Amino acid sequence: MTTGEAHHQRGSMASLDSTLRKAPPTSWRQPELPEVIAMLSYRLDPVKTNAAAFLQHLTFKNDKVKSDVRRLKGIPALVSLLDHPNKEVHHSACGALKNISFGRDQDNKIAIKNCDGVPALVRLLRKTHDQDLTDTITGTLWNLSSHDSVKMEIVDHALHALADEVIVPHSGWERGSNGGEESCKPRHLEWETALTNTAGCLRNVSSERSEARRKLRECTGLVDSLMYIVQSQINRKDVDNKLVENCVCLLRNLSYQVHREIPGCERYADTTPLNHGPATANKGGCFGSRKGKGKKDGDDGSADKVDIPKRTTPAKGYELLFQPEVVRVYTSLLRESKNPSVLEAAAGAIQNLCAGRWMYGRYIRATVRLEKGLPMMAELLAHGNDRVVRAMSGALRNLAIDNRNCELLGLHAVPHLVANLPGGQSQSGRTLSEETVVSVLSTLAEVLGNSLEAAKTLRASQGIERLVLINKDGKRSDREVRGAGQVLQLVWAHKELRRPLEKDGWKKTDFMVNLNPAIGTTNGPSTQSNGTYEDSTTPLLDRGQRASNYIGDIWCNFFPTVDAFSEAYSTLDQRGERRHTLEETTDTLPVPDAKLTNLYSLVC
C-alpha cells in the first residue's frame, strides 16, 4: 500500500470516526439514518457515493424510510448531489431519488419538486451520455409525473430535454426519414427503457390541462418520433410492450380536443350538415363476407370513395395526429395487439379524432370505414376487459355520425352492443361497470337513430328483453335506466314495429320510463337525435380512484432480483359541456444498480 493510499484511508476513516463518535473500525456497525444523511455532505466523494447508495438500498420498497429521509432533510442533500461532477456520486443520488419518488406518499414527490429537483434532473440528463443513468433519470421523472402539482413543472422544465436527449435521437425517426431504414439499426430497441420511461412521463403530464397538451404537440420532433416508434413496432409485429402502450396512450391524450386546441383550428371547421354523406348502396359494405365467395360489387368497401383533399407538403409535427393516414396505425393496433391498454388507447384516439364539427373528423370517420375498422371494433365489444369494451363503444358512437357508418353499424354491430347489456347468457360471466353499460346504451341510441332496420335488428337480437330488464328490475342506476328508456322510445317510435312487438307480448307501458324529474341528465347518454357526438376521450375512473399498473423502485444487490409492481391511475374530472377524463399512468420499471458497498469499505 502506497503512502498516498494509506493517507487517503486514514483521512477517510477519521472523517467517519469524527461523525459517528463510535468505536474504532474493528467494531463495525450499521450507521443510523441521520448519520447516513449527514454523510451526503462529506468532503470525500467515496463517502458521498456510498451514503447515497445506502439510502437507495434502504428506501427500496420501504415507505417508512422514505418518509424518514424526507423528514430528516435528506431529499435536498440528494438533489444537490445531482450536480456533482463525480459520476458515481450523482448516479447513486439519482437512484435514491428514484426510489423515494416511487409510491403513494405524495409528500415525497412534492419535496423533490420544492427543492428544484426537476431542473436538477434535467441538467443531469443533458450532460450525461450514460444509458443506465438516463434510464434512472427518466424513471425518476416518470414517478414524479404522477402528482398533479409536478406535471406542469415537468412540462415547463423537462419537456424539451426529454425530447432532445431521449425521444428524438433514440427513436430512429431522423435516420429513418433521411434515407433507408435498412442502413440503420432501430435505436429505440437499444434505449427502450429510457424511451418507455419518457413516454410514460409525458403520458402523465399530457392529462393535466390544455396548456400542457399544446406544449407537447408543438415540441419539435416529439409527435413525429412517437409515430415513428409505433409504426416501427407495428412493422416488427411487436405491439404489446410497455413502450408501445405509453406511446399510443400519449398520442391518444394529445388527440383529445385537438379540433379545438391546435393553432388556427377555426380553418378546419366543418360547415357540412351532420350525417352528410352517401347512404350505403348495399347491405354488406365493410362488414361483408370474409369467405371471398359470392360477394357483390362494393361488399369489400372498395366502391366507397371519400373526397379527401391532397396535401401539397408532407404533414409533420402535431398535424400527424389527425391526418387520415393515422387511422391505419390505429386499426393495425386493433388488429394485432392483445394488450388491453393498447386496444383502449387506439380506440380512444379514434374517438377523440371523430369528436367535434371539423373536416378531419369527417375524413377520419370515412377512413376508418375504408380501413375495415368498424367490424374490428364491433368484434372487440366482446373483449373481456371492461375498459376495452367502453373504448370501442365510445369510438363507434362518434363514428356513427357518418350516415354510411351508422347504417352499417345498425345492421351489423347492434347484436354486439346488445350482448354487453345486463341479462342473457352471452356475457360469459362478465360484469360490466355502470360507465360501460351507459356508454353502450348511448351508442345504441346513436346507431338506432331513425333506422327501422336497426330497430328490427335490435328486436331480433333479444335487445328488447334486456332493455326492459334494465328499465324495470330496480337494480340498475338512474343513468342506466334513462339510457335504456331512450333506446326503447326510439324503437317504439317506429309504428311499423308496434304490431310485431305486441305479438311478442310487449305493451306500450314497457317502452315508457318514469324517473324523478329532478334527476339531471348531464351524465347520461345524449337525449338528442342521431347526429350528435361525444366530445371526450375514453372515459376512465373519476379522480381519486385507483387501478393497477406498473411502478417500481430501483433495487440494490443486497437482495435477489425482484419485480416490484403496483399502480396508481388518476384522471381528470373537468366540468364542461360533458364530463370527461384523460388517462395517465405512473409506471417505472425496477432497474438493477451496481453492487452496493458498505460505508466503511474505504478501509481494508
Side-chain angles (χ1 to χ4, degrees):
M1 181 181 296
T2 66
T3 302
E5 289 174 339
H7 177 75
H8 172 73
Q9 290 178 347
R10 286 195 299 273
S12 301
M13 198 60 242
S15 298
L16 291 172
D17 282 343
S18 63
T19 296
L20 296 175
R21 298 178 182 176
K22 297 292 180 179
T26 54
S27 57
W28 182 88
R29 66 174 180 81
Q30 179 169 304
E32 300 294 331
L33 186 60
E35 297 169 336
V36 178
I37 291 174
M39 292 176 191
L40 296 174
S41 302
Y42 267 43
R43 61 183 178 84
L44 297 175
D45 290 350
V47 177
K48 294 177 180 178
T49 299
N50 283 319
F54 196 50
L55 286 177
Q56 178 181 320
H57 157 64
L58 292 175
T59 55
F60 177 69
K61 297 182 68 175
N62 192 322
D63 290 340
K64 182 181 183 305
V65 174
K66 295 175 190 179
S67 299
D68 290 343
V69 171
R70 182 187 75 245
R71 179 176 52 82
L72 295 169
K73 310 300 182 185
I75 289 178
L78 288 168
V79 169
S80 68
L81 293 181
L82 296 178
D83 289 313
H84 197 283
N86 185 296
K87 174 183 175 180
E88 286 72 22
V89 172
H90 59 237
H91 202 303
S92 295
C94 191
L97 287 169
K98 182 172 185 284
N99 280 0
I100 292 170
S101 64
F102 161 77
R104 301 195 177 195
D105 190 341
Q106 302 302 306
D107 290 339
N108 295 335
K109 299 174 177 32
I110 295 172
I112 294 173
K113 175 206 169 188
N114 288 345
C115 59
D116 294 327
V118 172
L121 288 164
V122 169
R123 289 192 296 271
L124 184 57
L125 179 63
R126 285 198 179 276
K127 73 180 182 182
T128 187
H129 299 290
D130 182 272
Q131 186 171 346
D132 289 339
L133 182 55
T134 301
D135 293 348
T136 306
I137 295 169
T138 53
T140 306
L141 289 169
W142 190 357
N143 279 344
L144 292 172
S145 69
S146 68
H147 196 278
D148 288 347
S149 72
V150 189
K151 289 177 182 176
M152 287 308 298
E153 178 88 356
I154 290 174
V155 172
D156 292 335
H157 295 284
L159 171 58
H160 291 288
L162 290 170
D164 296 344
E165 305 298 332
V166 183
I167 292 286
V168 174
H170 300 304
S171 66
W173 163 59
E174 290 180 309
R175 292 174 70 183
S177 61
N178 290 334
E181 290 185 51
E182 67 280 352
S183 63
C184 66
K185 184 178 180 181
R187 281 171 287 171
H188 64 267
L189 299 180
E190 299 175 19
W191 290 73
E192 184 170 353
T193 298
L195 286 165
T196 301
N197 293 346
T198 301
C201 173
L202 298 180
R203 172 182 173 182
N204 279 353
V205 302
S206 65
S207 71
E208 171 60 4
R209 62 185 72 164
S210 60
E211 178 69 7
R213 292 192 295 275
R214 181 187 67 80
K215 290 184 176 181
L216 264 67
R217 290 187 192 112
E218 297 177 9
C219 182
T220 302
L222 177 61
V223 175
D224 310 73
S225 298
L226 293 170
M227 288 290 187
Y228 185 86
I229 290 171
V230 175
Q231 186 61 64
S232 297
Q233 294 297 99
I234 290 173
N235 294 342
R236 293 173 55 86
K237 305 291 186 183
D238 182 15
V239 295
D240 288 332
N241 56 62
K242 200 67 182 177
L243 173 59
V244 173
E245 177 186 325
N246 283 345
C247 288
V248 179
C249 288
L250 174 53
L251 290 169
R252 182 268 309 277
N253 282 359
L254 294 180
S255 301
Y256 177 77
Q257 295 278 5
V258 68
H259 63 287
R260 293 179 178 173
E261 295 178 355
I262 57 173
C265 58
E266 61 278 355
R267 69 181 183 272
Y268 299 126
D270 192 359
T271 57
T272 305
L274 285 172
N275 278 326
H276 176 78
T280 46
N282 59 75
K283 302 301 182 183
C286 62
F287 284 89
S289 170
R290 297 188 176 186
K291 297 181 179 179
K293 296 181 180 180
K295 284 188 179 181
K296 298 180 181 179
D297 291 341
D299 274 0
D300 60 356
S302 60
D304 193 355
K305 303 298 182 183
V306 181
D307 185 18
I308 300 176
K310 299 290 185 181
R311 292 187 60 93
T312 57
T313 58
K316 62 180 180 179
Y318 65 81
E319 293 178 324
L320 293 170
L321 292 170
F322 52 84
Q323 297 306 303
E325 295 83 358
V326 79
V327 169
R328 190 167 298 168
V329 172
Y330 296 132
T331 54
S332 296
L333 293 171
L334 293 175
R335 183 183 305 109
E336 301 293 338
S337 180
K338 300 295 186 293
N339 182 339
S341 295
V342 172
L343 295 172
E344 178 192 359
I350 292 173
Q351 177 180 348
N352 286 344
L353 294 173
C354 292
R357 295 288 307 276
W358 69 317
M359 292 186 301
Y360 281 101
R362 178 156 50 89
Y363 301 153
I364 286 169
R365 291 182 200 108
T367 305
V368 170
R369 178 174 68 251
L370 296 181
E371 292 293 332
K372 310 298 175 60
L374 298 179
M376 277 190 285
M377 281 187 274
E379 291 179 6
L380 283 166
L381 286 168
H383 198 279
N385 184 288
D386 177 84
R387 288 168 58 171
V388 171
V389 175
R390 195 185 320 163
M392 299 304 153
S393 173
L396 290 173
R397 184 180 191 276
N398 283 358
L399 287 163
I401 301 169
D402 178 285
N403 253 353
R404 185 160 190 179
N405 287 350
C406 189
E407 185 171 348
L408 289 168
L409 292 170
L411 293 173
H412 302 284
V414 167
H416 297 279
L417 290 164
V418 168
N420 284 290
L421 297 178
Q425 302 299 318
S426 60
Q427 286 185 279
S428 303
R430 287 190 303 161
T431 301
L432 299 179
S433 67
E434 175 194 353
E435 290 288 340
T436 299
V437 173
V438 170
S439 176
V440 170
L441 290 167
S442 178
T443 304
L444 272 172
E446 187 69 36
V447 170
L448 259 63
N450 299 318
S451 171
L452 175 61
E453 292 301 317
K456 289 179 179 179
T457 304
L458 177 74
R459 173 180 171 240
S461 305
Q462 286 75 52
I464 306 298
E465 290 86 339
R466 299 198 186 198
L467 292 165
V468 172
L469 178 63
I470 294 172
N471 193 4
K472 295 191 172 183
D473 74 352
K475 298 179 181 179
R476 314 306 303 190
S477 70
D478 289 331
R479 297 175 65 207
E480 292 170 297
V481 172
R482 188 165 51 246
Q486 180 186 355
V487 179
L488 287 169
Q489 289 164 15
L490 289 171
V491 174
W492 189 255
H494 295 287
K495 295 181 180 179
E496 302 93 326
L497 277 180
R498 291 179 184 174
R499 186 173 296 275
L501 289 169
E502 289 169 347
K503 287 184 178 180
D504 292 340
W506 302 112
K507 302 183 296 293
K508 180 179 180 179
T509 54
D510 293 322
F511 296 83
M512 298 173 62
V513 181
N514 295 312
L515 282 175
N516 184 341
I519 297 174
T521 60
T522 56
N523 286 337
S526 169
T527 56
Q528 302 176 31
S529 62
N530 188 41
T532 62
Y533 58 84
E534 180 66 21
D535 188 6
S536 74
T537 186
T538 49
L540 298 175
L541 305 172
D542 287 334
R543 179 184 292 277
Q545 289 183 288
R546 300 295 179 190
S548 152
N549 209 341
Y550 297 97
I551 189 169
D553 293 357
I554 294 181
W555 64 279
C556 295
N557 286 343
F558 277 81
F559 304 108
T561 303
V562 292
D563 291 331
F565 297 143
S566 68
E567 153 147 296
Y569 262 35
S570 67
T571 61
L572 294 179
D573 187 9
Q574 301 175 3
R575 302 289 175 177
E577 180 182 350
R578 290 185 175 91
R579 185 181 58 150
H580 62 265
T581 56
L582 291 175
E583 189 235 18
E584 61 182 48
T585 177
T586 55
D587 303 358
T588 56
L589 298 174
V591 182
D593 194 41
K595 185 175 181 180
L596 181 62
T597 58
N598 71 59
L599 293 179
Y600 300 95
S601 62
L602 296 173
V603 176
C604 300

